[in-house]
Amino acid sequence: MITTDFATGSPCWLDLGAPDVAATARFYGAVFGWEFQPFSAEEAQYGFFKLDGKVVAGIGPLTEEGARSAWMIYFRTADAEATTEAVRRAGGTVRVEPMDADGEGRMAQFTDPQGGQFAVWQPGSFSGVDAVDAPGTLTWTELYTTDAAAAKEFYGTLFDWQTQDMDLPGGGGTYALITPSGLPPERMHGGVMQLPSEALALNGGRPYWHPVFGTTDCDATVAKVTSNGGTVQMGPDDAEGVGRLAVCVDPSGADFVVLAPAES
């Protein structure tokens, strides 16, 4: 369960770099009912996604040359500079050095040693998203990687995550569940799954993080994805004890998962 008390090492923010912000905002509005709110009239390309008046994500223009449109997951840190140095010591790469965000906090972006991109947020006046763990909001984060053991070691060094391996049904390999340091299992916020590079074609064979958004009806949400120009990589399928899910791709190529949780 992801919550908004944002323990250190837990996901607290996510944003999307899009080649066409207006068109992408219309897509997610149609799929999840999100409303796009620009930061200002002068900066209409940057803004929040809101659901029922609560901030659920951010969006801005894709500015990095040659980069694909993708969701960026931000994890809570108490000290962006200290985390940046820890990334370097652990073999990762600093993509964006720690920087202030108009007094709302400090952020930095990184690449892990296998190639997965992620970010951290040190809160100032802004803590993160207002709503999680509900339909139309972030409910889980997931890393597809070519080396799960190395990924667990790297992120464990940074965030002191607790991980618990579980066998996937049908001999599908092992999935590592992530819990913030010192918190109980019900605070699990994500997972790590090892896949061969050929299964990561969406990102040129490199590892990547993606968000999982909640829904009350996976099939209905998938129908909205496809009818609004998106595609489906996998599903909808039932996962025992998890729910019904599908891996989707928006019209610009950013991937995400929709999940209708199993009834408890």
Side-chain angles (χ1 to χ4, degrees):
M1 174 188 294
I2 295 177
T3 69
T4 55
D5 66 1
F6 304 133
T8 297
S10 66
C12 62
W13 181 244
L14 69 164
D15 59 21
L16 176 64
D20 185 331
V21 170
T24 302
R26 287 193 295 271
F27 170 80
Y28 285 97
V31 172
F32 294 119
W34 291 351
E35 177 187 356
F36 173 56
Q37 179 180 308
F39 287 161
S40 68
E42 293 75 27
E43 292 187 286
Q45 289 289 293
Y46 296 85
F48 290 140
F49 280 127
K50 287 189 170 184
L51 181 64
D52 298 328
K54 295 182 177 181
V55 176
V56 295
I59 183 173
L62 185 64
T63 57
E64 186 177 347
E65 187 175 351
R68 77 175 182 100
S69 182
W71 284 96
M72 180 70 72
I73 309 295
Y74 292 71
F75 299 101
R76 171 74 172 263
T77 181
D79 188 328
E81 275 75 11
T83 302
T84 298
E85 291 310 309
V87 166
R88 289 193 173 102
R89 289 195 301 271
T93 303
V94 179
R95 300 181 63 248
V96 178
E97 294 282 351
M99 59 182 290
D100 286 320
D102 297 326
E104 295 183 338
R106 289 179 64 74
M107 59 82 68
Q109 294 185 358
F110 313 110
T111 303
D112 70 31
Q114 285 70 51
Q117 296 182 355
F118 67 105
V120 294
W121 179 255
Q122 177 185 333
S125 61
F126 182 77
S127 296
V129 292
D130 294 331
V132 293
D133 200 40
T137 71
L138 182 69
T139 62
W140 193 253
T141 60
E142 195 166 59
L143 173 64
Y144 287 170
T145 183
T146 51
D147 191 334
K152 287 189 291 183
E153 181 177 356
F154 173 79
Y155 290 100
T157 297
L158 294 188
F159 301 121
D160 196 27
W161 284 345
Q162 305 167 89
T163 59
Q164 176 185 338
D165 289 345
M166 59 175 284
D167 292 329
L168 294 173
T174 302
Y175 191 87
L177 300 165
I178 304 166
T179 306
S181 177
L183 294 182
E186 57 264 27
R187 289 293 303 274
M188 286 177 183
H189 66 248
V192 176
M193 185 171 180
Q194 182 166 315
L195 293 168
S197 59
E198 55 266 27
L200 305 176
L202 190 66
N203 198 38
R206 298 183 303 277
Y208 56 90
W209 285 93
H210 58 211
V212 178
F213 299 117
T215 180
T216 56
D217 188 327
C218 182
D219 294 70
T221 301
V222 166
K224 292 178 182 177
V225 168
T226 56
S227 64
N228 285 280
T231 57
V232 179
Q233 276 198 314
M234 185 193 77
D237 291 321
D238 293 315
E240 185 178 355
V242 176
R244 189 162 176 81
L245 58 86
V247 181
C248 303
V249 181
D250 73 21
S252 297
D255 62 299
F256 61 96
V257 176
V258 293
L259 170 67
E263 294 184 6
S264 56

